[in-house]
Amino acid sequence: MKIYKVLFIAMALLAFNLQFAQEQEQVQEEESLSLDGGPISSQFEYITSNSGNYNANGIRYEVVKLTFIEKLRQNVLDSLKVYNKKTAELNATIAASEGTINTLENKLEETTNNLMEVNEEKDSISFLGIMIAKGTYNFMLWTIITGLLLLLLFFIYKFRQSNILTQEAKTGLSDLEMEYEDHRRRALEREQKISRQLQDELNKHKKTK
């Protein structure tokens, strides 16, 4: 029997403690609710917990103090103002960020274009005011050099041919001059011989007279 009494007393104390703890928790919750702070949802709970109610024609009504409604209305308006202010600040931040992003994109595009121009200039050479690729420029340069070398070889060949013909012409002219001098000498000798023969004949003719 004593055991049953002890168990009964223990269960009664446990139930009392549980009920007391729930009541204390409810009191703390009610004390934490206020219209002077906290989220709007907790303020609604405060108004609901501090409002009266009655039934009429089977319909349950809540009786709320007008001051509570005015206070809640003002708190809602203040919250909306804060929200709108934060929204405006966020929109301004977003706009500034978009402006910064656009500026960075423009600078990136400009840098990319400058890099491409530098690469083109590095891979190109200005020829007569025209930018030409190095490969094309080298091809043109070596083509011109090859053409000039071919022209030089052609002129050297023609010069040598002309020199050979000139030497042959000089040799032929020298031989011709020698032949002419030999012919002139023989003609002179024949003329002198004829003159002597003519003079001898004249002398013979005078003697016969």
Side-chain angles (χ1 to χ4, degrees):
M1 293 295 292
K2 291 182 179 179
I3 296 175
Y4 289 114
K5 289 182 179 179
V6 171
L7 289 175
F8 177 77
I9 294 171
M11 291 179 66
L13 290 174
L14 180 62
F16 176 77
N17 288 330
L18 288 174
Q19 184 178 0
F20 180 77
Q22 289 178 354
E23 290 178 356
Q24 290 294 324
E25 183 177 357
Q26 185 176 1
V27 170
Q28 289 178 357
E29 289 180 355
E30 291 178 356
E31 289 179 353
S32 63
L33 297 176
S34 173
L35 291 176
D36 295 328
I40 298 298
S41 59
S42 65
Q43 296 181 24
F44 271 107
E45 291 180 6
Y46 175 81
I47 291 176
T48 302
S49 62
N50 287 276
S51 63
N53 58 77
Y54 69 94
N55 293 321
N57 299 324
I59 300 175
R60 185 171 181 272
Y61 293 91
E62 294 288 336
V63 180
V64 181
K65 291 183 180 180
L66 184 61
T67 55
F68 286 178
I69 295 176
E70 290 294 332
K71 181 66 174 177
L72 180 62
R73 175 177 175 276
Q74 187 61 43
N75 291 342
V76 171
L77 292 176
D78 292 341
S79 298
L80 288 175
K81 287 180 180 179
V82 172
Y83 174 77
N84 291 331
K85 183 179 179 181
K86 288 183 178 180
T87 302
E89 290 176 353
L90 290 174
N91 289 331
T93 303
I94 292 171
S97 299
E98 290 178 350
T100 303
I101 291 171
N102 292 331
T103 302
L104 292 175
E105 288 179 349
N106 293 331
K107 289 183 177 180
L108 178 61
E109 183 178 0
E110 182 180 357
T111 303
T112 303
N113 293 331
N114 291 335
L115 181 60
M116 292 176 63
E117 291 178 358
V118 169
N119 289 331
E120 289 179 357
E121 291 178 356
K122 184 177 69 174
D123 296 333
S124 304
I125 295 176
S126 179
F127 181 73
L128 299 177
I130 302 174
M131 297 301 296
I132 302 176
K134 284 186 177 181
T136 305
Y137 175 80
N138 291 331
F139 175 77
M140 292 175 59
L141 180 63
W142 284 108
T143 301
I144 293 171
I145 292 173
T146 303
L148 291 175
L149 286 174
L150 292 175
L151 286 175
L152 179 61
L153 293 174
F154 176 75
F155 284 127
I156 291 173
Y157 171 76
K158 295 298 290 183
F159 175 76
R160 288 184 177 179
Q161 289 294 109
S162 299
N163 192 25
I164 291 172
L165 293 175
T166 301
Q167 293 296 329
E168 291 178 353
K170 287 181 178 180
T171 303
L173 180 60
S174 178
D175 294 340
L176 184 61
E177 287 178 351
M178 291 177 64
E179 290 179 2
Y180 174 75
E181 287 295 331
D182 186 55
H183 176 72
R184 189 175 65 82
R185 182 179 54 77
R186 289 196 299 268
L188 182 60
E189 289 176 354
R190 285 197 302 271
E191 184 181 353
Q192 289 176 354
K193 184 178 180 180
I194 292 171
S195 296
R196 285 195 299 270
Q197 289 177 356
L198 181 59
Q199 187 64 39
D200 290 340
E201 290 295 328
L202 289 174
N203 289 334
K204 288 182 181 180
H205 182 67
K206 286 181 181 181
K207 288 180 179 181
T208 55
K209 289 182 177 182

